[in-house]
Amino acid sequence: MISVAAFIIMLSFTACKSGTAEAPGTFCDTVCLTDTIKFAGDHEKKPTVFITAKNCMPDSIIWSYKGMAADRKTGFTYLLGTTVNINKDYIRCFFKDNEHAWLLFNDCATGRGFQIKLPYDKNANFSLKSSGINSLDPKFSIAENLVVNTDRGNIYVEDMSTGKKAMMTFGQPLPIDYDVLHDHIDSVNVTNDRIWVKILIDKNWVEKEKKIVLE
């Protein structure tokens, strides 16, 4: 396994850096995407994830490793069920050896977070979370090995390497629009043993915290 930060430095494929959700109009620059975005892990099988571009938008996701019988591929819009603008500086990729990879990114138009688990086993299905709480957003601090998302009533945490999980309830369902997540979730801090959030409940900003054990 390789951490996101180490992966970027060692491989020099693409940079992942924090942006600002306060930029007027959009979460990040919706510049025309023309080049394939490439990620690679440091496992001996050399796992990779490519995002190809077409007409300024992401077109396909292709993931493979050395010696794999055939590349896995899916249409980007087909997988998400919607069209998004992406920027190479607002995407992270986490590799678990040559077992699977996680793509974490935010839609530049709205800031909505997406999380895709891409298994290399052709018999395993990929999974998609379209309510991601990603640390690409400067108000969300998430440990590098964790993926965090919400279902409007709870916040869920998963270790991308082990698959171990934890969660915390908000206490009640919230009318969250994932395209404007900050209207109800101001900030989040998640480590391997603690969840902290600041959320809007009944027109009041409330802080909730829970010690967790990933299992």
Side-chain angles (χ1 to χ4, degrees):
M1 182 191 72
I2 183 168
S3 70
V4 173
F7 159 76
I8 296 167
I9 294 172
M10 292 171 62
L11 282 250
S12 299
F13 264 95
T14 189
C16 294
K17 63 182 180 180
S18 295
T20 172
E22 304 301 324
T26 60
F27 177 82
C28 52
D29 190 349
T30 56
V31 63
C32 176
L33 183 67
T34 57
D35 297 327
T36 296
I37 300 173
K38 305 175 182 180
F39 297 96
D42 67 348
H43 185 268
E44 60 183 7
K45 291 291 187 179
K46 303 185 184 303
T48 57
V49 174
F50 292 172
I51 302 174
T52 64
K54 183 179 181 180
N55 298 326
C56 292
M57 304 293 286
D59 182 58
S60 298
I61 303 176
I62 304 168
W63 63 108
S64 185
Y65 62 77
K66 184 179 180 180
M68 191 169 162
D71 295 350
R72 299 200 68 180
K73 179 178 180 179
T74 186
F76 201 92
T77 299
Y78 169 78
L79 176 59
L80 267 61
T82 187
T83 300
V84 299
N85 288 99
I86 63 172
N87 183 309
K88 66 181 180 63
D89 294 330
Y90 292 81
I91 303 177
R92 290 181 175 173
C93 189
F94 183 102
F95 290 90
K96 166 58 177 173
D97 301 328
N98 67 329
E99 294 179 16
H100 62 257
W102 279 93
L103 272 180
L104 312 179
F105 59 93
N106 287 63
D107 176 19
C108 283
T110 65
R112 184 172 185 166
F114 292 87
Q115 302 160 342
I116 306 173
K117 184 179 181 181
L118 301 169
Y120 287 94
D121 183 348
K122 67 178 182 179
N123 296 313
N125 293 325
F126 48 72
S127 65
L128 166 69
K129 302 292 184 183
S130 57
S131 57
I133 298 175
N134 298 332
S135 58
L136 296 159
D137 187 316
K139 299 206 75 175
F140 298 151
S141 176
I142 312 296
E144 287 187 347
N145 63 306
L146 301 179
V147 61
V148 178
N149 47 70
T150 180
D151 66 354
R152 297 187 174 91
N154 308 280
I155 186 167
Y156 297 96
V157 180
E158 180 177 346
D159 186 317
M160 292 184 283
S161 178
T162 66
K164 292 183 177 181
K165 302 176 181 179
M167 60 86 68
M168 182 183 76
T169 180
F170 294 150
Q172 65 184 73
L174 302 178
I176 296 173
D177 180 342
Y178 298 133
D179 287 338
V180 283
L181 191 63
H182 283 294
D183 282 1
H184 284 86
I185 301 180
D186 175 77
S187 46
V188 176
N189 188 300
V190 181
T191 66
N192 285 271
D193 56 15
R194 172 181 173 268
I195 300 172
W196 177 93
V197 298
K198 183 178 179 181
I199 54 179
L200 186 67
I201 298 180
D202 298 329
K203 298 182 179 180
N204 295 309
W205 287 105
V206 177
E207 296 181 13
K208 286 187 175 288
E209 182 175 2
K210 179 183 179 181
K211 292 183 178 180
I212 59 171
V213 176
L214 294 164
E215 54 188 9

